Amino acid sequence: MCRGRPGHKSTRPAGGLPAGVGAHGLHTQYTLRVESLCSPIHRNPMAVDTTSIARPSFDLKSAQLPVVAVALRDTDVRVLVADLAQRLADDPDFFDNDPVLIDLAHVREAEGEIDFAALVEALRFHRTVPVAVRGGSPGQMEAARAAGLAPAPEAAPARAAVPEVQEVVREVEVVREIPAPLADALIVDKPLRSGQRVYARGTDIVVLAMVSYGAEVIADGNVHVYAPLRGRAVAGARGNTAARIFSTCMEAQLLSIAGIYRTIETDLPADVAAKPAKVRLDGEKIVIEPV
């Protein structure tokens, strides 16, 4: 039996019913109030209590990120430190916490040991973040792991270069063809300011506006810039040695193809400086040619 709360008094007026209110209406109001205080709570047996279902705090997904590859050609870290300081003396802010992959393929058979702790410290000093290593001998890879570097898979074999020079016998001249961008190429129609970076995964990138100094365009395929190219351009980011870089106004800060890069520390030759030019890879050398 439900009892009223201690000290509870009826709200029914002593002088009878108020004007305009019937007995049934007042009784209904009073009954609802009593039920709200004393009646048991009825739940829908089919309802689901969502508060008891915990949502996961994270998801695990695969991801691929562009990295800067540092290919060692000497096991003496002191030589590397000196070379880095000399190359980056004119542009100490060249890197901006870029992730770095250390490539040991050229020193795999070297007898000298690599001081990975000193190497990592030197790379971090120049605002890079060493994260992985590849291409080393078992001993080198084990020493790299001890220094906190993750093993990375070997570089994919380079694809054969596509001939780009075609001779026209009748005219007795050489025609240089510029490959058209892929159909699914990433198109950027706005200027890229310093600090901005755009990456075209698995395809070409086409930029229709200026790439400012300090900006970066990256593509697994070719890089087309139909405007002044004053920042960094990286083609063949995943090892495609046949990739190319094209610009209608070549003033690049850095050019890179398949991990081989060239910083523009001096003025470009007059035939390509601020003019239409293309960039290709000849062995392990970056070549800049007029278009």
Side-chain angles (χ1 to χ4, degrees), residues 18-154:
V21 179
H24 179 73
L26 181 59
H27 175 74
T28 302
Q29 181 182 6
Y30 186 80
T31 302
L32 288 175
R33 182 175 181 182
V34 173
E35 286 182 348
S36 65
L37 294 174
C38 304
S39 297
I41 299 175
H42 298 283
R43 297 184 181 271
N44 185 353
M46 299 300 292
V48 178
D49 187 3
T50 57
T51 60
S52 63
I53 302 177
R55 297 182 60 184
S57 61
F58 65 92
D59 293 322
L60 295 177
K61 297 182 180 180
S62 61
Q64 294 180 349
L65 299 174
V67 298
V68 176
V70 176
L72 298 191
R73 299 183 179 278
D74 197 316
T75 57
D76 190 346
V77 176
R78 294 173 297 180
V79 176
L80 173 66
V81 171
D83 289 345
L84 274 174
Q86 180 180 1
R87 178 166 295 188
L88 300 177
D90 296 332
D91 190 5
D93 296 328
F94 180 79
F95 294 109
D96 186 13
N97 295 319
D98 299 299
V100 163
L101 166 69
I102 300 174
D103 193 334
L104 305 176
H106 296 290
V107 295
R108 180 184 180 91
E109 305 299 330
E111 296 181 358
E113 296 183 355
I114 302 174
D115 187 348
F116 284 100
L119 176 59
V120 169
E121 181 180 357
L123 291 172
R124 287 177 176 171
F125 177 79
H126 292 285
R127 300 181 66 191
T128 67
V129 182
V131 294
V133 64
R134 75 179 179 193
S137 64
Q140 291 171 341
M141 297 298 289
E142 185 60 33
R145 290 191 190 96
L149 298 172
E154 298 292 334

Side-chain angles (χ1 to χ4, degrees), residues 247-251 269-278 290-291:
S247 176
T248 56
C249 184
M250 182 63 69
E251 301 175 302
D271 59 342
V272 295
K275 295 179 181 179
K278 66 177 180 178
V291 175

Side-chain angles (χ1 to χ4, degrees), residues 161-241:
V162 179
E164 63 174 17
V165 178
Q166 180 182 14
E167 184 177 359
V168 181
V169 179
R170 291 184 180 180
E171 301 295 335
V172 193
E173 65 178 356
V174 174
V175 178
R176 297 181 182 272
E177 295 184 350
I178 298 178
L182 298 176
D184 61 345
L186 175 63
I187 298 177
V188 180
D189 58 1
K190 295 182 180 180
L192 296 177
R193 299 185 299 274
S194 178
Q196 291 184 310
R197 173 184 293 179
V198 181
Y199 174 39
R201 186 188 307 278
T203 187
D204 295 350
I205 186 170
V206 178
V207 184
L208 305 179
M210 182 176 65
V211 179
S212 301
Y213 185 90
E216 188 171 18
V217 288
I218 307 171
D220 290 340
N222 300 320
V223 173
H224 299 259
V225 180
Y226 298 111
L229 171 56
R230 296 172 181 167
R232 310 174 192 172
V234 178
R238 301 180 68 180
N240 181 9
T241 57

